[in-house]
Amino acid sequence: ETGVTQSPTHLIKTRGQQVTLRCSSQSGHNTVSWYQQALGQGPQFIFQYYREEENGRGNFPPRFSGLQFPNYSSELNVNALELDDSALYLCASSLGTRAYEQYFGPGTRLTVT
Amino acid sequence: AQSVTQLGSHVSVSEGALVLLRCNYSSSVPPYLFWYVQYPNQGLQLLLKYTSAATLVKGINGFEAEFKKSETSFHLTKPSAHMSDAAEYFCAVIRRDPGGGNKLTFGTGTQLKVEL
């Protein structure tokens, strides 16, 4: 059984650019949630995907968007990057939207300069 | 709205001493509570969870937490700290949106330092 994987590990972008982060869910998990963790803060919920549809969204602007694919993997896209988007982006997978346990990947560290 | 508050952003203990990390919750309904640990440059690992069964919950690595409704608390403890326990610890509560799924709401974290 493979765990949650994320790519890339680190990324440096310039303000105004666009970025795509990727997540492969744990084997058998059909729900993916994305979180943003700014330095020194707890993770903040961005959105959740279930069966390729967005299933709830946190307080993030529309320039944060996502996709989920038939194999349950997911992408997080951020357009028009701002300096405050610099953070660790965490992906978590679970079995169903009402599962209590979410399994986290190692994260992608995004730096916006 | 459900939320958690972690008291103390930094806690320092001696190796072998008791670890106590504090978490208080705010919830209008019975909460589902979690403790996660994050080692440097890594993702989050679930330590333990409370889902309205036993109020004393045992987790991995010798950690446990007690749900106290009267105090709205869910403090994390370990009888004897080990150097390998040095990490950041997050308390979290499940928020269930109407018609939606479960989303975790995290506290701001407590950095645990273990000294010789």
Side-chain angles (χ1 to χ4, degrees):
Chain A
E1 181 179 282
T2 56
V4 179
T5 60
Q6 293 186 242
S7 63
T9 306
H10 296 87
L11 203 52
I12 299 175
K13 289 286 189 178
T14 303
R15 190 171 48 183
Q17 286 187 315
Q18 178 266 342
V19 69
T20 297
L21 311 182
R22 294 178 175 83
C23 170
S24 291
S25 59
Q26 184 164 314
S27 178
H29 286 185
N30 55 15
T31 303
V32 173
S33 302
W34 285 93
Y35 294 84
Q36 181 197 64
Q37 186 180 14
L39 198 62
Q41 301 294 319
Q44 299 288 318
F45 173 74
I46 303 175
F47 43 55
Q48 183 181 82
Y49 275 83
Y50 173 66
R51 292 186 175 180
E52 302 177 55
E53 297 284 335
E54 187 178 290
N55 181 51
R57 187 180 185 90
N59 189 27
F60 282 81
R63 59 190 185 84
F64 284 79
S65 62
L67 283 173
Q68 186 179 33
F69 301 99
N71 66 355
Y72 304 134
S73 67
S74 178
E75 287 182 354
L76 164 66
N77 299 289
V78 187
N79 294 322
L81 283 167
E82 301 177 358
L83 295 179
D84 285 349
D85 295 334
S86 295
L88 180 68
Y89 288 85
L90 295 164
C91 162
S93 75
S94 57
L95 184 58
T97 63
R98 294 184 174 270
Y100 298 131
E101 293 192 26
Q102 297 187 13
Y103 296 84
F104 284 81
T108 294
R109 173 73 64 187
L110 173 64
T111 302
V112 182
T113 62
Chain B
Q2 288 140 318
S3 65
V4 290
T5 302
Q6 292 184 243
L7 302 176
S9 59
H10 292 82
V11 170
S12 183
V13 300
S14 299
E15 191 174 33
L18 171 72
V19 175
L20 171 61
L21 305 182
R22 300 176 187 273
C23 173
N24 288 87
Y25 68 89
S26 171
S27 176
S28 57
V29 298
Y32 298 116
L33 295 159
F34 305 80
W35 276 99
Y36 282 86
V37 61
Q38 186 176 37
Y39 296 99
N41 301 314
Q42 294 188 27
L44 300 172
Q45 181 181 9
L46 180 65
L47 275 177
L48 50 80
K49 65 181 184 291
Y50 168 76
T51 55
S52 73
T55 56
L56 182 61
V57 182
K58 294 187 183 298
I60 62 172
N61 301 339
F63 285 93
E64 63 182 37
E66 187 172 7
F67 174 74
K68 291 187 176 180
K69 185 177 179 180
S70 61
E71 299 177 8
T72 61
S73 69
F74 190 58
H75 302 332
L76 182 70
T77 60
K78 182 174 181 178
S80 177
H82 191 273
M83 295 296 289
S84 61
D85 294 327
E88 185 141 28
Y89 292 79
F90 292 95
C91 182
V93 64
I94 280 281
R95 189 187 83 229
R96 178 169 289 172
D97 290 340
N102 290 340
K103 288 84 175 173
L104 286 164
T105 298
F106 289 88
T108 52
T110 298
Q111 185 71 45
L112 175 66
K113 182 178 180 181
V114 182
E115 299 174 319
L116 286 171

